């Protein structure tokens, strides 16, 4: 797709959005934002905020980087938790994560800027399998999710103790690796406790 065509598509899609929304839609957030979730997710084009809410505007404070990591974007995360005071910090990893794949396969030849971000994954993956396979990739994606939750729980322990924040780690499964459906979000960690997604959902539903 050529550049001009891409820009034309952007403007056309935006016009559809404008036509679908009355002026009153924009009134509640013209001068302030009111998110209920701080989302840390991967920059991967296959992962978007509308996975959580069909309309994420003014609901999700979104932070994206390669590997859905806290430390490379620490200031943004602090802003969501400490300034906007969202009650949920949602850390979302996903199938086929390119950052984890690149780390496992070796990234010495990448640009310095990319190496710098991938270096943050070392503690998360130091005890994981580095021989590349689909199974090992999934395990390391999970290891990274759990590590990021651990960092968050340590960092925001006082807010969590006051029950003003919960840290959720989840796996967006667009490859149906968990055999629970394509595109399913599986919650795998809650406040640094590794959990069974199916059991957790039943508890949330009161079943």
């Amino acid at each position: 797709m050529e550049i001009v065509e891409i820009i034309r598509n952007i403007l056309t899609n935006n016009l559809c959005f404008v036509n679908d929304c009355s002026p009153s839609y924009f009134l509640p957030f013209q001068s302030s934002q009111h998110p209920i979730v701080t989302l840390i997710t991967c920059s991967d084009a296959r992962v978007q905020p509308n996975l959580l809410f069909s309309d994420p505007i003014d609901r999700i404070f979104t932070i994206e980087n390669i590997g859905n990591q806290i430390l490379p974007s620490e200031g943004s995360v602090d802003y969501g938790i400490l300034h906007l005071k969202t009650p949920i910090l949602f850390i979302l990893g996903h199938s086929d994560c390119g950052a984890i794949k690149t780390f496992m396969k070796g990234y010495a030849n990448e640009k310095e800027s990319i190496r710098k971000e991938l270096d943050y994954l070392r503690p998360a993956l130091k005890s994981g399998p580095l021989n590349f396979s689909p199974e090992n990739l999934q395990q390391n994606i999970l290891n990274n999710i759990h590590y990021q939750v651990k960092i968050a729980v340590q960092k925001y322990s006082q807010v969590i103790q006051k029950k003003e924040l919960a840290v959720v780690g989840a796996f967006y499964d667009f490859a149906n690796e968990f055999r629970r459906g394509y595109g399913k979000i599986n919650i795998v960690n809650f406040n640094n406790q590794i959990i069974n997604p199916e059991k957790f959902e039943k508890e949330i539903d009161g079943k």
Side-chain angles (χ1 to χ4, degrees):
M1 189 178 291
E2 295 185 359
I3 291 174
V4 172
E5 186 179 355
I6 294 171
I7 295 173
R8 186 184 298 119
N9 283 342
I10 290 172
L11 294 176
T12 299
N13 288 329
N14 175 250
L15 184 59
C16 289
F17 170 73
V18 170
N19 291 335
D20 286 343
C21 298
S22 67
S24 62
Y25 173 83
F26 301 93
L27 290 176
F29 54 86
Q30 283 186 0
S31 60
S32 62
Q33 57 178 313
H34 318 90
I36 54 176
V37 172
T38 294
L39 172 65
I40 304 175
T41 191
C42 194
S43 302
D44 194 296
R46 298 167 290 185
V47 185
Q48 300 296 335
N50 62 355
L51 295 168
L52 277 65
F53 297 103
S54 57
D55 180 5
I57 294 176
D58 204 32
R59 291 180 174 88
I60 303 179
F61 184 70
T62 306
I63 301 152
E64 297 177 327
N65 56 51
I66 53 175
N68 42 271
Q69 304 181 70
I70 288 181
L71 295 181
S73 305
E74 191 170 6
S76 295
V77 183
D78 278 352
Y79 191 87
I81 303 304
L82 303 178
H83 186 80
L84 298 176
K85 300 186 184 303
T86 61
I88 299 287
L89 173 56
F90 204 92
I91 299 170
L92 185 62
H94 65 93
S95 304
D96 193 49
C97 181
I100 306 296
K101 281 201 294 189
T102 301
F103 186 96
M104 292 176 69
K105 292 181 176 181
Y107 58 98
N109 294 326
E110 294 286 351
K111 289 181 66 66
E112 182 181 358
S113 56
I114 297 174
R115 295 199 309 269
K116 185 176 179 180
E117 281 202 42
L118 290 172
D119 280 341
Y120 283 103
L121 289 171
R122 289 189 180 279
L125 305 182
K126 66 180 179 181
S127 59
L130 292 183
N131 294 327
F132 186 81
S133 72
E135 295 76 19
N136 288 348
L137 174 60
Q138 185 197 69
Q139 184 57 57
N140 277 328
I141 292 169
L142 287 167
N143 288 345
N144 182 46
I145 293 169
H146 296 318
Y147 177 76
Q148 303 303 328
V149 172
K150 180 180 178 180
I151 288 178
V153 168
Q154 292 173 345
K155 183 175 175 59
Y156 304 114
S157 61
Q158 292 184 346
V159 189
I160 294 170
Q161 288 171 6
K162 294 177 182 178
K163 300 189 182 302
E164 295 173 355
L165 175 70
V167 181
V168 177
F171 189 112
Y172 169 44
D173 185 11
F174 55 74
N176 198 24
E177 298 173 53
F178 286 61
R179 300 294 181 264
R180 302 189 67 226
Y182 289 93
K184 177 78 172 174
I185 288 179
N186 295 282
I187 294 178
V188 296
N189 196 310
F190 186 84
N191 282 346
N192 206 26
Q193 297 294 318
I194 297 174
I195 57 176
N196 178 284
E198 187 172 358
K199 182 179 178 181
F200 182 78
E201 288 178 20
K202 288 181 178 178
E203 291 175 354
I204 290 291
D205 290 337
K207 297 179 181 178

XYZ file of all heavy atoms in Angstrom, residues 62-130:
535
model
N -2.775 3.907 27.883
C -2.025 2.866 27.184
C -0.543 3.191 27.089
O -0.162 4.288 26.669
C -2.590 2.674 25.763
O -3.996 2.429 25.843
C -1.915 1.506 25.074
N 0.267 2.209 27.469
C 1.724 2.311 27.377
C 2.205 1.121 26.568
O 1.941 -0.032 26.920
C 2.383 2.295 28.771
C 1.859 3.461 29.605
C 3.898 2.336 28.663
C 1.871 3.201 31.079
N 2.903 1.394 25.476
C 3.366 0.326 24.597
C 4.876 0.400 24.410
O 5.431 1.487 24.230
C 2.687 0.434 23.233
C 1.178 0.268 23.275
C 0.532 0.448 21.914
O 1.049 1.259 21.122
O -0.471 -0.233 21.648
N 5.508 -0.754 24.473
C 6.923 -0.872 24.108
C 7.182 -2.323 23.709
O 6.307 -3.173 23.850
C 7.843 -0.418 25.253
C 7.576 -1.165 26.554
O 7.534 -2.395 26.589
N 7.386 -0.421 27.629
N 8.350 -2.614 23.211
C 8.612 -3.985 22.806
C 8.775 -4.862 24.054
O 9.573 -4.579 24.934
C 9.843 -4.098 21.884
C 11.092 -3.452 22.482
C 9.548 -3.476 20.532
C 12.339 -3.651 21.649
N 7.941 -5.882 24.130
C 8.026 -6.802 25.256
C 7.171 -6.439 26.449
O 7.362 -7.011 27.529
N 6.241 -5.506 26.296
C 5.337 -5.092 27.393
C 6.069 -4.990 28.735
O 5.763 -5.687 29.690
C 4.120 -6.011 27.511
C 4.414 -7.499 27.358
O 4.389 -8.016 26.239
N 4.688 -8.190 28.444
N 7.042 -4.070 28.790
C 7.915 -3.944 29.948
C 7.625 -2.666 30.747
O 7.258 -1.637 30.180
C 9.377 -3.920 29.494
C 9.789 -5.129 28.661
C 11.237 -5.023 28.276
O 12.141 -5.139 29.109
N 11.491 -4.790 27.007
N 7.856 -2.750 32.035
C 7.658 -1.593 32.909
C 8.839 -0.624 32.854
O 8.665 0.580 32.642
C 7.419 -2.051 34.363
C 6.031 -2.675 34.485
C 7.536 -0.878 35.340
C 5.688 -3.148 35.871
N 10.033 -1.121 33.061
C 11.174 -0.235 33.294
C 11.532 0.680 32.124
O 11.911 1.833 32.365
C 12.391 -1.061 33.725
C 12.226 -1.781 35.071
C 13.488 -2.564 35.423
C 11.885 -0.807 36.188
N 11.412 0.261 30.861
C 11.712 1.207 29.777
C 10.729 2.375 29.708
O 11.020 3.393 29.082
C 11.620 0.340 28.511
C 11.815 -1.054 28.969
C 11.197 -1.100 30.337
N 9.562 2.219 30.330
C 8.533 3.268 30.299
C 8.071 3.618 31.713
O 6.897 3.895 31.948
C 7.337 2.788 29.464
O 7.734 2.402 28.170
N 8.998 3.619 32.649
C 8.653 3.738 34.062
C 7.895 5.020 34.388
O 6.951 5.020 35.180
C 9.923 3.644 34.911
C 9.672 3.481 36.387
C 10.937 3.150 37.152
O 12.027 3.167 36.549
O 10.828 2.878 38.358
N 8.300 6.123 33.762
C 7.618 7.389 34.031
C 6.167 7.361 33.603
O 5.280 7.859 34.321
N 5.899 6.770 32.457
C 4.520 6.678 31.973
C 3.673 5.800 32.889
O 2.514 6.113 33.167
C 4.502 6.105 30.550
O 5.126 6.990 29.646
N 4.263 4.697 33.359
C 3.528 3.811 34.266
C 3.226 4.540 35.572
O 2.107 4.476 36.097
C 4.314 2.513 34.532
C 3.491 1.570 35.417
C 4.662 1.816 33.226
N 4.219 5.229 36.102
C 4.004 6.008 37.329
C 2.875 7.018 37.141
O 2.062 7.245 38.049
C 5.288 6.753 37.715
C 6.275 5.883 38.464
O 5.923 4.748 38.831
O 7.405 6.340 38.688
N 2.829 7.633 35.979
C 1.791 8.631 35.721
C 0.405 7.992 35.800
O -0.524 8.536 36.411
C 2.012 9.272 34.351
C 1.159 10.497 34.115
C 1.603 11.749 34.535
C -0.076 10.412 33.490
C 0.828 12.883 34.336
C -0.854 11.535 33.291
C -0.398 12.765 33.712
O -1.173 13.883 33.516
N 0.269 6.831 35.196
C -1.025 6.160 35.214
C -1.452 5.736 36.608
O -2.622 5.874 36.983
N -0.494 5.226 37.391
C -0.826 4.693 38.714
C -0.904 5.794 39.770
O -1.854 5.857 40.551
C 0.216 3.637 39.150
C 0.308 2.511 38.118
C -0.119 3.089 40.528
C -0.979 1.825 37.814
N 0.089 6.664 39.796
C 0.211 7.630 40.887
C -0.501 8.950 40.609
O -0.927 9.629 41.543
C 1.692 7.888 41.182
C 2.514 6.633 41.528
C 3.978 6.994 41.747
C 1.933 5.915 42.747
N -0.623 9.318 39.345
C -1.267 10.593 39.020
C -2.727 10.386 38.605
O -3.629 11.027 39.138
C -0.499 11.307 37.911
C -1.002 12.687 37.624
N -0.668 13.775 38.397
C -1.838 13.157 36.658
C -1.271 14.852 37.921
N -1.989 14.503 36.861
N -2.942 9.469 37.669
C -4.314 9.210 37.218
C -5.054 8.249 38.146
O -6.284 8.163 38.102
C -4.291 8.645 35.786
C -3.688 9.575 34.737
C -3.624 8.880 33.383
C -4.482 10.873 34.626
N -4.290 7.524 38.956
C -4.845 6.640 39.991
C -5.791 5.583 39.424
O -6.878 5.334 39.970
C -5.543 7.468 41.088
C -4.604 8.449 41.786
C -5.280 9.141 42.935
C -4.371 10.189 43.567
N -3.088 9.643 44.043
N -5.392 4.959 38.349
C -6.203 3.857 37.824
C -6.160 2.685 38.806
O -5.097 2.358 39.337
C -5.688 3.389 36.451
O -4.337 2.923 36.574
C -5.744 4.512 35.436
N -7.286 2.027 39.055
C -7.307 0.922 40.017
C -6.756 -0.393 39.484
O -6.541 -1.324 40.246
C -8.793 0.785 40.357
C -9.500 1.308 39.154
C -8.635 2.405 38.602
N -6.545 -0.474 38.167
C -6.008 -1.682 37.559
C -4.749 -1.343 36.765
O -4.758 -0.409 35.947
C -7.025 -2.346 36.605
C -8.284 -2.760 37.349
C -6.392 -3.542 35.879
C -8.115 -3.954 38.245
N -3.692 -2.100 37.005
C -2.516 -2.093 36.134
C -2.545 -3.424 35.391
O -2.396 -4.486 36.000
C -1.228 -1.946 36.942
C 0.090 -2.099 36.167
C 0.163 -1.119 35.010
C 1.278 -1.924 37.098
N -2.777 -3.379 34.096
C -2.985 -4.567 33.283
C -1.772 -4.764 32.385
O -1.520 -3.960 31.487
C -4.253 -4.402 32.443
C -4.895 -5.683 32.010
C -5.877 -6.273 32.785
C -4.527 -6.299 30.824
C -6.489 -7.459 32.380
C -5.120 -7.467 30.414
C -6.108 -8.062 31.194
N -1.016 -5.835 32.629
C 0.191 -6.126 31.856
C -0.148 -7.242 30.877
O -0.457 -8.364 31.278
C 1.348 -6.529 32.788
C 1.660 -5.364 33.738
C 2.577 -6.922 31.969
C 2.610 -5.723 34.863
N -0.104 -6.928 29.598
C -0.612 -7.832 28.579
C 0.490 -8.288 27.628
O 0.977 -7.520 26.800
C -1.727 -7.136 27.786
C -2.465 -7.973 26.744
C -3.195 -9.139 27.407
C -3.449 -7.102 25.965
N 0.892 -9.553 27.777
C 1.761 -10.191 26.799
C 0.916 -10.863 25.733
O -0.317 -10.834 25.782
N 1.572 -11.506 24.761
C 0.785 -12.054 23.656
C 1.527 -13.169 22.925
O 2.750 -13.322 23.044
C 0.435 -10.940 22.663
C 1.638 -10.355 21.975
N 2.098 -10.809 20.762
C 2.478 -9.352 22.347
C 3.174 -10.113 20.402
N 3.428 -9.221 21.351
N 0.757 -13.921 22.145
C 1.315 -14.976 21.298
C 2.375 -14.414 20.354
O 2.284 -13.262 19.917
C 0.210 -15.605 20.438
O -0.858 -16.095 21.207
N 3.369 -15.237 20.048
C 4.342 -14.922 18.998
C 5.043 -13.581 19.228
O 5.261 -12.808 18.290
C 3.649 -14.932 17.633
C 4.626 -14.937 16.460
O 5.555 -15.755 16.468
O 4.452 -14.102 15.539
N 5.400 -13.280 20.467
C 6.013 -11.976 20.784
C 7.375 -11.831 20.108
O 8.308 -12.589 20.370
C 6.159 -11.826 22.297
S 6.880 -10.231 22.783
N 7.482 -10.837 19.252
C 8.724 -10.626 18.514
C 9.887 -10.241 19.393
O 11.036 -10.609 19.111
N 9.628 -9.493 20.464
C 10.713 -9.090 21.368
C 11.327 -10.311 22.042
O 12.556 -10.438 22.137
C 10.186 -8.116 22.412
N 10.465 -11.211 22.518
C 10.962 -12.412 23.180
C 11.676 -13.311 22.176
O 12.738 -13.878 22.472
C 9.808 -13.186 23.858
C 9.016 -12.272 24.791
C 10.345 -14.396 24.613
C 9.782 -11.730 25.958
N 11.128 -13.437 20.969
C 11.774 -14.243 19.929
C 13.159 -13.701 19.595
O 14.120 -14.466 19.479
C 10.917 -14.276 18.659
C 9.756 -15.218 18.707
C 9.262 -15.607 17.305
C 8.690 -14.439 16.558
N 8.025 -14.879 15.297
N 13.249 -12.396 19.447
C 14.534 -11.775 19.110
C 15.544 -11.989 20.226
O 16.718 -12.288 19.970
C 14.348 -10.276 18.834
O 13.425 -10.116 17.759
C 15.663 -9.613 18.469
N 15.103 -11.852 21.471
C 15.991 -12.083 22.608
C 16.514 -13.514 22.585
O 17.710 -13.754 22.770
C 15.259 -11.809 23.922
C 16.140 -11.881 25.134
C 16.692 -10.726 25.669
C 16.441 -13.097 25.740
C 17.522 -10.780 26.778
C 17.266 -13.164 26.844
C 17.810 -12.002 27.371
N 15.622 -14.465 22.359
C 16.010 -15.872 22.386
C 16.964 -16.227 21.252
O 17.879 -17.045 21.426
C 14.760 -16.760 22.314
C 13.880 -16.685 23.548
S 12.348 -17.657 23.372
C 13.020 -19.337 23.383
N 16.771 -15.616 20.102
C 17.585 -15.949 18.936
C 18.892 -15.166 18.882
O 19.781 -15.486 18.100
C 16.777 -15.707 17.661
C 15.609 -16.685 17.496
C 14.846 -16.414 16.210
C 13.737 -17.443 15.997
N 12.995 -17.216 14.739
N 18.991 -14.122 19.729
C 20.202 -13.296 19.751
C 19.977 -11.978 19.034
O 19.416 -11.959 17.936
N 20.425 -10.891 19.657
C 20.141 -9.576 19.100
C 21.374 -8.676 19.046
O 21.266 -7.449 18.992
C 19.016 -8.898 19.895
C 19.274 -8.719 21.377
C 19.740 -7.498 21.868
C 19.053 -9.750 22.283
C 19.963 -7.312 23.225
C 19.276 -9.580 23.624
C 19.736 -8.363 24.099
O 19.963 -8.190 25.448
N 22.545 -9.293 19.019
C 23.797 -8.511 19.012
C 23.916 -7.622 17.784
O 24.579 -6.570 17.834
C 24.999 -9.460 19.088
N 23.279 -7.992 16.695
C 23.393 -7.218 15.456
C 22.284 -6.185 15.290
O 22.229 -5.507 14.253
C 23.387 -8.168 14.250
C 24.621 -9.056 14.221
O 25.714 -8.648 14.627
N 24.462 -10.296 13.748
N 21.411 -6.059 16.275
C 20.353 -5.046 16.194
C 20.931 -3.656 16.479
O 22.021 -3.517 17.037
C 19.254 -5.350 17.224
C 18.487 -6.634 16.969
C 17.522 -6.531 15.817
O 17.308 -5.408 15.289
O 16.972 -7.577 15.429
N 20.181 -2.628 16.111
C 20.600 -1.264 16.421
C 20.679 -1.081 17.932
O 19.974 -1.738 18.700
C 19.607 -0.253 15.828
C 19.656 -0.141 14.317
C 18.663 0.878 13.825
C 19.015 2.302 14.260
N 20.266 2.797 13.650
N 21.547 -0.170 18.350
C 21.771 0.057 19.780
C 20.476 0.393 20.513
O 20.253 -0.057 21.640
C 22.785 1.174 19.982
C 23.107 1.450 21.440
C 24.092 2.586 21.623
O 24.559 3.146 20.610
O 24.382 2.928 22.789
N 19.617 1.179 19.886
C 18.361 1.569 20.538
C 17.490 0.352 20.826
O 16.839 0.274 21.878
C 17.606 2.561 19.650
O 17.386 2.007 18.358
N 17.468 -0.615 19.909
C 16.683 -1.829 20.108
C 17.357 -2.718 21.153
O 16.684 -3.279 22.031
C 16.502 -2.581 18.778
C 15.706 -1.713 17.793
C 15.801 -3.922 18.994
C 15.589 -2.294 16.399
N 18.675 -2.842 21.080
C 19.404 -3.643 22.077
C 19.153 -3.118 23.479
O 18.990 -3.898 24.426
C 20.913 -3.646 21.788
C 21.319 -4.318 20.498
C 22.798 -4.702 20.509
N 23.670 -3.602 20.888
C 24.217 -2.743 20.042
N 23.976 -2.844 18.740
N 25.005 -1.770 20.465
N 19.105 -1.808 23.610
C 18.921 -1.192 24.924
C 17.591 -1.609 25.540
O 17.513 -1.917 26.740
C 18.994 0.329 24.790
C 18.942 1.076 26.109
C 19.119 2.578 25.888
C 19.050 3.333 27.202
N 19.223 4.797 27.003
N 16.527 -1.626 24.734
C 15.229 -2.042 25.266
C 15.190 -3.537 25.545
O 14.628 -3.982 26.547
C 14.103 -1.664 24.294
C 13.715 -0.202 24.370
C 12.319 0.062 23.844
O 11.406 -0.724 24.132
O 12.150 1.066 23.128
N 15.792 -4.333 24.663
C 15.789 -5.776 24.861
C 16.617 -6.187 26.074
O 16.330 -7.199 26.714
C 16.301 -6.490 23.610
C 15.367 -6.439 22.395
C 16.068 -7.008 21.158
C 14.078 -7.190 22.666
N 17.622 -5.397 26.422
C 18.452 -5.706 27.602
C 17.619 -5.777 28.874
O 17.960 -6.503 29.811
C 19.549 -4.660 27.773
C 20.743 -4.893 26.844
O 20.887 -6.031 26.334
O 21.524 -3.946 26.637
N 16.529 -5.006 28.917
C 15.671 -5.022 30.102
C 15.016 -6.389 30.320
O 14.518 -6.672 31.415
C 14.574 -3.956 29.984
C 15.023 -2.542 30.249
C 15.246 -1.646 29.209
C 15.208 -2.085 31.550
C 15.638 -0.340 29.445
C 15.598 -0.785 31.805
C 15.820 0.087 30.749
O 16.213 1.383 30.997
N 15.006 -7.226 29.281
C 14.383 -8.545 29.396
C 15.290 -9.570 30.080
O 14.823 -10.656 30.438
C 13.993 -9.072 28.006
C 12.819 -8.383 27.313
C 12.712 -8.858 25.869
C 11.526 -8.642 28.058
N 16.551 -9.244 30.253
C 17.493 -10.236 30.796
C 17.043 -10.822 32.137
O 17.027 -12.046 32.302
C 18.888 -9.621 30.933
C 19.580 -9.386 29.605
C 21.039 -8.981 29.773
N 21.656 -8.756 28.482
C 22.126 -9.714 27.691
N 22.047 -10.972 28.094
N 22.667 -9.433 26.535
N 16.674 -10.016 33.110
C 16.234 -10.605 34.384
C 14.979 -11.462 34.243
O 14.830 -12.464 34.942
C 15.971 -9.382 35.272
C 16.714 -8.264 34.643
C 16.697 -8.536 33.183
N 14.111 -11.070 33.333
C 12.857 -11.808 33.157
C 13.087 -13.188 32.561
O 12.368 -14.142 32.871
C 11.907 -11.014 32.264
N 14.103 -13.298 31.718
C 14.301 -14.535 30.957
C 15.547 -15.304 31.369
O 15.871 -16.324 30.747
C 14.379 -14.208 29.453
C 13.189 -13.422 28.876
C 13.368 -13.203 27.387
C 11.878 -14.123 29.161
N 16.226 -14.846 32.409
C 17.498 -15.472 32.774
C 17.360 -16.941 33.159
O 18.293 -17.729 32.979
C 18.173 -14.687 33.898
C 17.430 -14.706 35.231
C 18.177 -13.906 36.291
C 17.426 -13.909 37.616
N 18.138 -13.102 38.647
N 16.224 -17.333 33.703
C 16.040 -18.722 34.118
C 15.174 -19.507 33.136
O 14.867 -20.679 33.378
C 15.386 -18.784 35.505
O 14.126 -18.129 35.497
N 14.808 -18.879 32.027
C 13.949 -19.543 31.049
C 14.751 -20.266 29.991
O 15.970 -20.080 29.871
N 14.100 -21.104 29.191
C 14.788 -21.834 28.122
C 15.134 -20.894 26.968
O 14.289 -20.116 26.525
C 13.751 -22.875 27.690
C 12.432 -22.253 28.024
C 12.668 -21.428 29.258
N 16.366 -20.952 26.486
C 16.786 -20.062 25.406
C 16.890 -20.781 24.065
O 17.058 -20.130 23.039
C 18.123 -19.401 25.760
C 18.057 -18.392 26.921
C 19.418 -17.749 27.147
C 17.000 -17.316 26.669
